Amino acid sequence: MPDIDAYLDAHRDQFEADLCELLRIPSVSADSRHRGDIRRAAEWLVAKFRGLGLACDLVETAGHPIVLADSPKIDGAPTVLVYGHYDVQPPDPLGEWISPPFEPTVRDGNLYARGATDDKGQMLTHVLSVEAWMTTEGKLPVNVTLLIEGEEEVGSENLDKFIEANRARLACDVVVISDTSQFAEGVPAITYGLRGIAYYELRLRGPKQDLHSGTFGGAVKNPAIALAEMFAGLIDENGRVQVPGFYDDVAALSDAERKQFAALPFDEAAFRNQVGVAQTFGEAGFSTLERRWVRPTFDVHGLTSGYQGEGAKTVLPAKASGKFSFRLVPNQDPKKIAAALKTKLAELCPPGIEMELVEFHGAPGVVVPLDSPFMAAAARAIEHGFGRAPVYMREGGSIPVVSTFRNLLGVDTLLLGWGRDDDNTHSPNEKFNLADFHRGIRSSARLWRELATRK
Ligand code: BES
Ligand code: MN
Ligand code: MN
């Protein structure tokens, strides 16, 4: 592919400028104040696709729009569905960013901005490789449909409905997603498993209004303490979830997979250093990679109660609430877990407190087969782009649509991640390594040909 690779080399600056343009749009899906920005990001993509000669629709949903584009039809060639998301997580806490989250800035070969790796930068690698093919060859060697949504970070609810209602329109042979990471620097990877998630908010009410803690404390149950007790009741000190039946359906780890994980070049001390803890934590009998990839968990994401301002205030708060989730692994049923959770919380809820459980998004864990010709094609494309064959790994994060594609379209997904574990996704100073960006584009451009001639 001399022409295509030459095009990629000649357009590196232009590709980076495109990415920066998209990163300047603060398309935060969780925050209604950014509705207009979400739309601008979708429209930016529509203009980009149409400019490349792709048929493209901006599809309205009950929430944020979906962008859907098709390359020119090639009869007899396989159809590849590329999925990505143009929405990003909120940039908070703002004060911890070295450069502002929506002013993309290069430092040390990394591009810093919210969404740089998750998922604008990774998603764009496929858009730009399509650009290279369309500009150089006037067509692609496969049929590519690009489905880019604006609600991944809030659970993909409207996307699921869209897929359900448009199965024939989205029919394809394989799905490609770049929204994960390499195993480590210089170790590209194909991910074959993701954890699922079940996300909730627990809201507790005690007295009818905030009270003086001297006058009333000791005689009225404090909702903030009740919240702490209830969360503590959901997990033991070794990280074992205390919801009855929680582990019943958990797929066991095979000896072969355990050996395969252990053979990966994982450095425990470097990991501790990366996250800044003196010691790792987790279920006895499992390694750090096993705890992150194949074991289910409970985590608290945010706690709200009482006085949070400067100085001290002696208040017995009327309310307390906490956001939390379970990461799920294959075979765990989110519905069964929700039912068992409700029973457990009702038992844990102390007298004098009223509780309400709000259910947010959910998705089951997934594994995809490793032995398909599509996988082999992807491995060759990565070897071309990164100069090294990929390792096979799982990830602890969730991409809800992967199980939807399996269930509604009957297709498997290739999870080809160009990011790195220390890219600070969802955190301050999110970044994407620019060399990885270009390697990703090069791999993607090669992928279309490898999929067309797959063996
Ligand atoms: N790109 C991530 C998923 C991911 C994270 C894959 C880490 C591999 C490693 C995605 O954008 C994401 O953040 N998903 C959410 C899903 C949730 C909002 C339903 C997640 O995992 O928290
Ligand atoms: Mn993502
Ligand atoms: Mn994300």
Side-chain angles (χ1 to χ4, degrees):
M1 309 195 311
D3 291 355
I4 305 250
D5 282 339
Y7 183 95
L8 300 184
D9 287 338
H11 289 78
R12 289 169 73 96
D13 292 349
Q14 185 56 49
F15 293 162
E16 292 174 19
D18 278 357
L19 175 54
C20 288
E21 229 178 87
L22 184 57
L23 288 171
R24 277 188 206 101
I25 306 174
S27 45
V28 181
S29 50
D31 187 339
S32 57
R33 289 170 301 181
H34 286 288
R35 272 196 94 81
D37 296 317
I38 278 274
R39 181 158 296 272
R40 273 206 294 138
E43 283 166 355
W44 187 93
L45 284 167
V46 171
K48 179 79 191 169
F49 287 133
R50 291 194 179 143
L52 300 181
L54 269 56
C56 179
D57 293 317
L58 187 143
V59 182
E60 301 292 348
T61 73
H64 302 315
I66 293 166
V67 178
L68 190 60
D70 291 292
S71 64
K73 178 95 183 98
I74 307 288
D75 286 324
T79 298
V80 185
L81 182 74
V82 174
Y83 163 87
H85 61 95
Y86 66 81
D87 66 321
V88 301
Q89 286 273 329
D92 311 77
L94 274 177
E96 292 188 24
W97 285 77
I98 294 164
S99 50
F102 299 108
E103 290 175 26
T105 306
V106 180
R107 289 192 294 277
D108 283 341
N110 295 308
L111 182 61
Y112 286 84
R114 171 57 86 232
T117 185
D118 185 12
D119 176 42
K120 288 173 176 173
Q122 294 205 58
M123 174 266 285
L124 266 195
T125 61
H126 299 298
V127 178
L128 296 170
S129 83
V130 166
E131 171 182 321
W133 274 91
M134 289 299 287
T135 314
T136 315
E137 307 283 322
K139 59 182 187 335
L140 275 91
V142 287
N143 297 295
V144 175
T145 299
L146 298 112
L147 174 67
I148 318 292
E149 72 152 322
E151 297 191 320
E152 196 274 345
E153 300 291 9
V154 291
S156 300
E157 228 171 89
N158 292 300
L159 180 72
D160 283 359
K161 289 181 200 144
F162 178 77
I163 296 171
E164 171 113 60
N166 292 276
R167 290 186 202 204
R169 166 83 179 78
L170 299 172
C172 59
D173 297 287
V174 66
V175 176
V176 170
I177 302 180
S178 291
D179 194 21
T180 51
S181 291
Q182 303 168 69
F183 180 75
E185 182 169 358
V187 189
I190 294 180
T191 292
Y192 67 93
L194 295 167
R195 287 195 290 194
I197 189 166
Y199 198 110
Y200 305 90
E201 181 173 339
L202 178 61
R203 296 180 182 162
L204 302 184
R205 280 210 71 98
K208 69 180 184 201
Q209 65 185 66
D210 286 5
L211 302 172
H212 191 296
S213 68
T215 316
F216 299 97
V220 174
K221 183 75 187 183
N222 182 319
I225 294 174
L227 187 72
E229 289 168 353
M230 290 175 76
F231 279 160
L234 290 180
I235 189 165
D236 75 8
E237 64 280 12
N238 301 314
R240 283 288 288 192
V241 175
Q242 301 297 301
V243 175
F246 186 78
Y247 293 94
D248 285 0
D249 302 325
V250 167
L253 181 63
S254 71
D255 284 345
E257 209 173 9
R258 181 161 253 185
K259 279 202 191 108
Q260 198 190 311
F261 289 180
L264 289 168
F266 182 69
D267 180 341
E268 190 85 27
F271 175 78
R272 283 196 302 268
N273 191 41
Q274 178 197 332
V275 295
V277 295
Q279 214 179 321
T280 53
F281 155 86
E283 269 182 289
F286 294 95
S287 72
T288 296
L289 287 183
E290 291 166 0
R291 289 168 178 168
R292 292 165 65 201
W293 293 350
V294 300
R295 298 301 297 170
T297 61
F298 165 74
D299 268 298
V300 175
H301 309 296
L303 296 167
T304 306
S305 187
Y307 182 65
Q308 320 244 341
E310 195 181 336
K313 180 173 192 262
T314 47
V315 62
L316 194 166
K319 295 186 281 192
S321 63
K323 297 180 197 283
F324 67 101
S325 75
F326 300 98
R327 289 285 165 176
L328 307 176
V329 298
N331 297 351
Q332 278 184 301
D333 175 358
K335 286 206 185 77
K336 230 165 112 178
I337 283 163
L341 171 68
K342 282 175 199 158
T343 309
K344 179 73 180 178
L345 287 175
E347 278 168 31
L348 289 170
C349 187
I353 297 288
E354 272 173 49
M355 71 167 227
E356 181 196 356
L357 184 70
V358 184
E359 289 182 55
F360 288 84
H361 45 68
V366 289
V367 279
V368 297
L370 282 167
D371 56 357
S372 75
F374 299 119
M375 270 289 173
R380 290 192 297 272
I382 288 176
E383 186 159 5
H384 176 73
F386 284 78
R388 220 195 115 153
V391 299
Y392 297 88
M393 61 180 275
R394 291 170 68 159
E395 282 264 25
S398 311
I399 305 176
V401 76
V402 175
S403 61
T404 311
F405 286 139
R406 178 70 247 165
N407 296 337
L408 295 182
L409 302 183
V411 287
D412 288 313
T413 295
L414 300 172
L415 294 159
L416 314 179
W418 318 139
R420 297 186 188 187
D421 247 7
D422 65 353
D423 276 343
N424 299 324
T425 52
H426 297 201
S427 304
N429 305 309
E430 179 177 346
K431 66 174 171 65
F432 190 23
N433 181 275
L434 284 170
D436 288 338
F437 177 56
H438 294 291
R439 290 179 189 120
I441 300 170
R442 202 175 155 92
S443 304
S444 171
R446 180 67 166 239
L447 179 65
W448 313 136
R449 208 188 70 188
E450 294 290 351
L451 288 172
T453 60
R454 72 196 181 283
K455 302 182 271 300

